[in-house]
Amino acid sequence: MNVDGENRIILNVGGIRFETYKATLKKIPATRLSRLTEALANYDPVLNEYFFDRHPGVFAQIMNYYRTGKLHYPTNVCGPLFEEELEFWGLDSNQVEPCCWMTYTIHRDTQNTLAILDKLEIDQEKPSEEEIARKFGFEEAYHQNALNCWQRLKPKVWSLFDEPHSSHFARVISMFSVFFICVSILSFCLKTHPDMRVPVIRNITVPGADNKTHWTLDKDRTDAHAAFFYIEAVCNSWFTFEITIRFLVTPKPVEFLKSLINLIDIIATLSFYLDFLLQHFARDVENADILELFKLTRHSPGLKILVHTFKASAKELTLLVFFLVLGIVVFASLVYYAERLQANPHNDFKSIPEGLWWAIVTMTTVGYGDMAPKTYVDQDIDGTDLNIHETVPGHPPVGQLTVANPPVVKRRSVQPPARAVLGLANPQSTKP
């Protein structure tokens, strides 16, 4: 009994006492518990125990890891706390069991998403002058108090045009931009209305029966009213001024040109001038200002989060589209061959490409009725197609797809590496 008592060790963790054998703690070498000696400062010779001011709930799982060789994640603590405790005790977080791995790694996805949202610069505090100088590369001149007029003006102009929440004047400029974007989009829509277009009339000489020429008026085409050109010219003048100023004062011109939103701004602005030049050669060409819609993303934090949502859900959306395309091709082929099994003079499916359209409107529960199966076999296929895409979980119709905003939980395909712990091949047979 005395020998057994000498082999025992008492650990007081956060006020809760744990008792085990010294040999149990030696199972995992190169850890804090495997190197315990009575010379340590946290050893109490009176109570004959080691005291650690750590989380006792997590330590219970760590103690179980020493006994069984299996590290489980306690669900009553958050992931960062668990990682901090493992780091203190000298354990590798990759040793978490596969059954707990998905739950344990949720916090990493959450932290990654929050880091991305922080990069979106939504509702951030106003940076200090030193941080701004560091961002623009003026840090040395700032500390030497040797900033010139341009170095002092450049960050202020950048904040006005790129940071809508930095000041009241920046908000006014942002409202100006949104106003011109909305006017440009409204002009783009209205100029296609028949009442907003002007017919182009031309005189045509027509030879008569009495060898005389007659003049007649012919409606060649219709053009948008001239007022729309001046409206778009004013709007694009502001867009040109804005994108030019933003490029001149940006701290990183290369990253500015690589940004997708900035590229959309540049292309949408240049399209107006390109349209103006092409109209001298092709009168039917009109400027498509639909790209102006994407400019609103820069002025709306909610749209920024929505763009991030689709980026984070790209794999899930791709998987959904894959299953949708797979079903479209399969059922379009089946309906094409099923209609040919018997005489069918009113066959609407004369080719598989025509069947693809039917499969799309059926899967998305639209069902225009412009194409319908006539044979009994084809009608069974139609019903099967509709029921499958209405009832199978995980494969909803496209119109019913919803995406979390923002998605903070995504499954990881990374599995923890194999355990590299010595002496754990058969922990049950190890005796202290």
Side-chain angles (χ1 to χ4, degrees), residues 144-346:
Q144 297 176 357
N145 198 19
L147 294 174
N148 55 37
C149 294
W150 173 243
Q151 290 175 334
R152 297 179 185 275
L153 181 63
K154 186 177 180 180
K156 296 179 180 180
V157 177
W158 174 78
S159 298
L160 289 177
F161 285 88
D162 266 83
E163 297 291 333
H165 303 284
S166 61
S167 64
H168 293 290
F169 195 47
R171 291 189 181 93
V172 173
I173 293 179
S174 177
M175 292 176 60
F176 254 86
S177 297
V178 173
F179 171 76
F180 282 117
I181 291 173
C182 294
V183 171
S184 179
I185 295 172
L186 183 62
S187 173
F188 164 71
C189 296
L190 290 180
K191 71 179 182 181
T192 60
H193 194 279
D195 294 339
M196 300 293 177
R197 302 185 70 84
V198 179
V200 177
I201 308 298
R202 64 174 181 172
N203 294 328
I204 299 178
T205 304
V206 180
D210 52 355
N211 294 329
K212 295 182 179 180
T213 58
H214 302 277
W215 296 91
T216 183
L217 299 178
D218 179 51
K219 180 181 177 182
D220 184 27
R221 65 181 186 278
T222 60
D223 290 340
H225 196 278
F228 290 107
F229 171 78
Y230 296 107
I231 293 175
E232 293 179 355
V234 173
C235 294
N236 282 274
S237 297
W238 169 260
F239 298 148
T240 304
F241 169 77
E242 182 186 34
I243 198 72
T244 303
I245 294 297
R246 291 178 57 229
F247 178 74
L248 292 176
V249 300
T250 182
K252 299 178 181 179
V254 177
E255 293 186 5
F256 179 86
L257 294 176
K258 289 182 179 179
S259 174
L260 179 60
I261 297 178
N262 293 331
L263 286 177
I264 291 175
D265 282 354
I266 295 172
I267 294 174
T269 304
L270 291 178
S271 65
F272 170 77
Y273 300 102
L274 182 62
D275 168 66
F276 180 73
L277 295 176
L278 289 178
Q279 281 188 353
H280 293 282
F281 305 98
R283 298 292 300 177
D284 294 332
V285 177
E286 290 189 1
N287 182 27
D289 290 330
I290 195 64
L291 291 177
E292 304 291 350
L293 281 170
F294 296 97
K295 287 187 175 184
L296 293 173
T297 305
R298 189 165 53 87
H299 302 277
S300 173
L303 289 177
K304 290 181 180 179
I305 295 177
L306 183 61
V307 171
H308 163 67
T309 299
F310 283 106
K311 286 182 179 179
S313 305
K315 292 183 179 179
E316 289 78 6
L317 292 173
T318 303
L319 183 63
L320 174 65
V321 173
F322 169 76
F323 278 107
L324 182 64
V325 172
L326 181 64
I328 289 173
V329 175
V330 169
F331 283 99
S333 303
L334 291 177
V335 76
Y336 168 72
Y337 288 108
E339 285 288 282
R340 298 166 64 89
L341 292 178
Q342 64 187 64
N344 185 8
H346 304 290

Side-chain angles (χ1 to χ4, degrees), residues 111-130:
Q111 289 176 331
N112 292 336
T113 301
L114 292 176
I116 295 175
L117 293 179
D118 288 339
K119 292 181 180 179
L120 296 178
E121 299 180 352
I122 299 173
D123 296 334
Q124 285 189 346
E125 295 182 358
K126 187 176 180 180
S128 63
E129 293 183 358
E130 183 177 359

Side-chain angles (χ1 to χ4, degrees), residues 383-397:
T384 303
D385 180 19
L386 184 60
N387 289 325
I388 285 178
H389 292 89
E390 281 286 350
T391 59
V392 174
H395 186 193

